[in-house]
PDB file of all heavy atoms in Angstrom:
ATOM      1  N   ASP A 195     -14.299  11.396   4.584  1.00 86.00           N
ATOM      2  CA  ASP A 195     -15.018  12.251   3.627  1.00 86.00           C
ATOM      3  C   ASP A 195     -16.344  11.571   3.313  1.00 86.00           C
ATOM      4  O   ASP A 195     -16.454  10.822   2.347  1.00 86.00           O
ATOM      5  CB  ASP A 195     -14.190  12.446   2.361  1.00 86.00           C
ATOM      6  CG  ASP A 195     -14.903  13.325   1.346  1.00 86.00           C
ATOM      7  OD1 ASP A 195     -15.674  14.198   1.764  1.00 86.00           O
ATOM      8  OD2 ASP A 195     -14.680  13.123   0.132  1.00 86.00           O
ATOM      9  N   ILE A 202     -12.490  15.215  -3.094  1.00 89.00           N
ATOM     10  CA  ILE A 202     -11.279  15.315  -2.298  1.00 89.00           C
ATOM     11  C   ILE A 202     -10.099  14.836  -3.127  1.00 89.00           C
ATOM     12  O   ILE A 202     -10.195  13.843  -3.860  1.00 89.00           O
ATOM     13  CB  ILE A 202     -11.413  14.500  -0.987  1.00 89.00           C
ATOM     14  CG1 ILE A 202     -10.181  14.675  -0.103  1.00 89.00           C
ATOM     15  CG2 ILE A 202     -11.685  13.033  -1.266  1.00 89.00           C
ATOM     16  CD1 ILE A 202     -10.359  14.101   1.287  1.00 89.00           C
ATOM     17  N   ALA A 203      -8.988  15.563  -3.050  1.00 92.00           N
ATOM     18  CA  ALA A 203      -7.736  15.171  -3.719  1.00 92.00           C
ATOM     19  C   ALA A 203      -6.658  15.049  -2.650  1.00 92.00           C
ATOM     20  O   ALA A 203      -6.383  16.014  -1.924  1.00 92.00           O
ATOM     21  CB  ALA A 203      -7.345  16.200  -4.761  1.00 92.00           C
ATOM     22  N   ASN A 211      -0.819   4.002  10.429  1.00 97.00           N
ATOM     23  CA  ASN A 211      -1.092   3.639  11.822  1.00 97.00           C
ATOM     24  C   ASN A 211      -2.322   4.335  12.407  1.00 97.00           C
ATOM     25  O   ASN A 211      -2.349   4.718  13.581  1.00 97.00           O
ATOM     26  CB  ASN A 211       0.139   3.929  12.692  1.00 97.00           C
ATOM     27  CG  ASN A 211       1.366   3.192  12.218  1.00 97.00           C
ATOM     28  OD1 ASN A 211       1.299   2.008  11.896  1.00 97.00           O
ATOM     29  ND2 ASN A 211       2.487   3.886  12.118  1.00 97.00           N
ATOM     30  N   GLY A 229     -19.556   8.463  -1.459  1.00 65.00           N
ATOM     31  CA  GLY A 229     -20.530   9.255  -2.194  1.00 65.00           C
ATOM     32  C   GLY A 229     -20.005  10.492  -2.875  1.00 65.00           C
ATOM     33  O   GLY A 229     -20.731  11.170  -3.583  1.00 65.00           O
ATOM     34  N   GLU A 254     -13.503   2.875  -0.017  1.00 91.00           N
ATOM     35  CA  GLU A 254     -13.733   3.802  -1.130  1.00 91.00           C
ATOM     36  C   GLU A 254     -15.124   3.599  -1.705  1.00 91.00           C
ATOM     37  O   GLU A 254     -15.409   2.601  -2.342  1.00 91.00           O
ATOM     38  CB  GLU A 254     -12.685   3.569  -2.217  1.00 91.00           C
ATOM     39  CG  GLU A 254     -12.023   4.799  -2.777  1.00 91.00           C
ATOM     40  CD  GLU A 254     -13.005   5.776  -3.404  1.00 91.00           C
ATOM     41  OE1 GLU A 254     -14.188   5.476  -3.538  1.00 91.00           O
ATOM     42  OE2 GLU A 254     -12.580   6.877  -3.768  1.00 91.00           O
ATOM     43  N   LEU A 257     -18.340   8.080  -6.245  1.00 79.00           N
ATOM     44  CA  LEU A 257     -18.982   7.857  -7.537  1.00 79.00           C
ATOM     45  C   LEU A 257     -17.966   7.819  -8.673  1.00 79.00           C
ATOM     46  O   LEU A 257     -18.209   7.218  -9.717  1.00 79.00           O
ATOM     47  CB  LEU A 257     -20.012   8.962  -7.800  1.00 79.00           C
ATOM     48  CG  LEU A 257     -21.134   9.105  -6.758  1.00 79.00           C
ATOM     49  CD1 LEU A 257     -22.056  10.249  -7.157  1.00 79.00           C
ATOM     50  CD2 LEU A 257     -21.920   7.811  -6.629  1.00 79.00           C
ATOM     51  N   LEU A 278      -7.870  -2.356   0.224  1.00 96.00           N
ATOM     52  CA  LEU A 278      -8.901  -1.481  -0.334  1.00 96.00           C
ATOM     53  C   LEU A 278     -10.248  -2.183  -0.307  1.00 96.00           C
ATOM     54  O   LEU A 278     -10.373  -3.318  -0.775  1.00 96.00           O
ATOM     55  CB  LEU A 278      -8.543  -1.116  -1.775  1.00 96.00           C
ATOM     56  CG  LEU A 278      -9.616  -0.404  -2.607  1.00 96.00           C
ATOM     57  CD1 LEU A 278      -9.910   0.987  -2.049  1.00 96.00           C
ATOM     58  CD2 LEU A 278      -9.181  -0.319  -4.076  1.00 96.00           C
ATOM     59  N   ILE A 287     -14.031   3.433 -10.102  1.00 89.00           N
ATOM     60  CA  ILE A 287     -12.860   4.284 -10.022  1.00 89.00           C
ATOM     61  C   ILE A 287     -11.741   3.590 -10.801  1.00 89.00           C
ATOM     62  O   ILE A 287     -11.853   2.412 -11.163  1.00 89.00           O
ATOM     63  CB  ILE A 287     -12.421   4.534  -8.573  1.00 89.00           C
ATOM     64  CG1 ILE A 287     -12.025   3.214  -7.883  1.00 89.00           C
ATOM     65  CG2 ILE A 287     -13.504   5.263  -7.791  1.00 89.00           C
ATOM     66  CD1 ILE A 287     -11.300   3.405  -6.575  1.00 89.00           C
ATOM     67  N   ASP A 326      20.255  -6.544  -0.415  1.00 91.00           N
ATOM     68  CA  ASP A 326      20.536  -6.195   0.976  1.00 91.00           C
ATOM     69  C   ASP A 326      20.309  -7.437   1.825  1.00 91.00           C
ATOM     70  O   ASP A 326      19.277  -7.585   2.479  1.00 91.00           O
ATOM     71  CB  ASP A 326      19.640  -5.039   1.408  1.00 91.00           C
ATOM     72  CG  ASP A 326      19.878  -4.629   2.854  1.00 91.00           C
ATOM     73  OD1 ASP A 326      20.936  -4.997   3.410  1.00 91.00           O
ATOM     74  OD2 ASP A 326      18.999  -3.969   3.425  1.00 91.00           O
ATOM     75  N   VAL A 332      21.520  -1.112   3.684  1.00 91.00           N
ATOM     76  CA  VAL A 332      22.732  -0.770   2.922  1.00 91.00           C
ATOM     77  C   VAL A 332      23.300  -2.045   2.309  1.00 91.00           C
ATOM     78  O   VAL A 332      23.399  -3.080   2.982  1.00 91.00           O
ATOM     79  CB  VAL A 332      23.798  -0.115   3.820  1.00 91.00           C
ATOM     80  CG1 VAL A 332      25.051   0.218   3.011  1.00 91.00           C
ATOM     81  CG2 VAL A 332      23.246   1.136   4.492  1.00 91.00           C
ATOM     82  N   ILE A 338      28.291  -9.194   1.154  1.00 95.00           N
ATOM     83  CA  ILE A 338      29.210 -10.101   0.450  1.00 95.00           C
ATOM     84  C   ILE A 338      29.633 -11.236   1.375  1.00 95.00           C
ATOM     85  O   ILE A 338      29.664 -12.417   0.974  1.00 95.00           O
ATOM     86  CB  ILE A 338      30.438  -9.332  -0.070  1.00 95.00           C
ATOM     87  CG1 ILE A 338      30.024  -8.423  -1.233  1.00 95.00           C
ATOM     88  CG2 ILE A 338      31.540 -10.296  -0.512  1.00 95.00           C
ATOM     89  CD1 ILE A 338      31.161  -7.602  -1.789  1.00 95.00           C
ATOM     90  N   LEU A 339      29.966 -10.914   2.618  1.00 95.00           N
ATOM     91  CA  LEU A 339      30.384 -11.945   3.565  1.00 95.00           C
ATOM     92  C   LEU A 339      29.266 -12.956   3.818  1.00 95.00           C
ATOM     93  O   LEU A 339      29.523 -14.167   3.931  1.00 95.00           O
ATOM     94  CB  LEU A 339      30.819 -11.293   4.878  1.00 95.00           C
ATOM     95  CG  LEU A 339      32.112 -10.471   4.814  1.00 95.00           C
ATOM     96  CD1 LEU A 339      32.346  -9.756   6.140  1.00 95.00           C
ATOM     97  CD2 LEU A 339      33.300 -11.359   4.456  1.00 95.00           C
ATOM     98  N   VAL A 360      20.560 -21.340  -5.382  1.00 95.00           N
ATOM     99  CA  VAL A 360      22.017 -21.472  -5.356  1.00 95.00           C
ATOM    100  C   VAL A 360      22.616 -20.094  -5.095  1.00 95.00           C
ATOM    101  O   VAL A 360      22.219 -19.108  -5.727  1.00 95.00           O
ATOM    102  CB  VAL A 360      22.578 -22.023  -6.684  1.00 95.00           C
ATOM    103  CG1 VAL A 360      24.112 -22.097  -6.623  1.00 95.00           C
ATOM    104  CG2 VAL A 360      22.002 -23.388  -6.997  1.00 95.00           C
ATOM    105  N   GLY A 374      25.569   0.250  -1.983  1.00 91.00           N
ATOM    106  CA  GLY A 374      25.211   1.535  -1.390  1.00 91.00           C
ATOM    107  C   GLY A 374      23.868   1.465  -0.683  1.00 91.00           C
ATOM    108  O   GLY A 374      23.340   0.392  -0.393  1.00 91.00           O
TER     109      GLY A 374
END
Side-chain angles (χ1 to χ4, degrees):
D195 180 30
I202 184 170
N211 302 316
E254 227 301 353
L257 302 179
L278 170 66
I287 62 167
D326 180 17
V332 179
I338 289 179
L339 291 174
V360 178

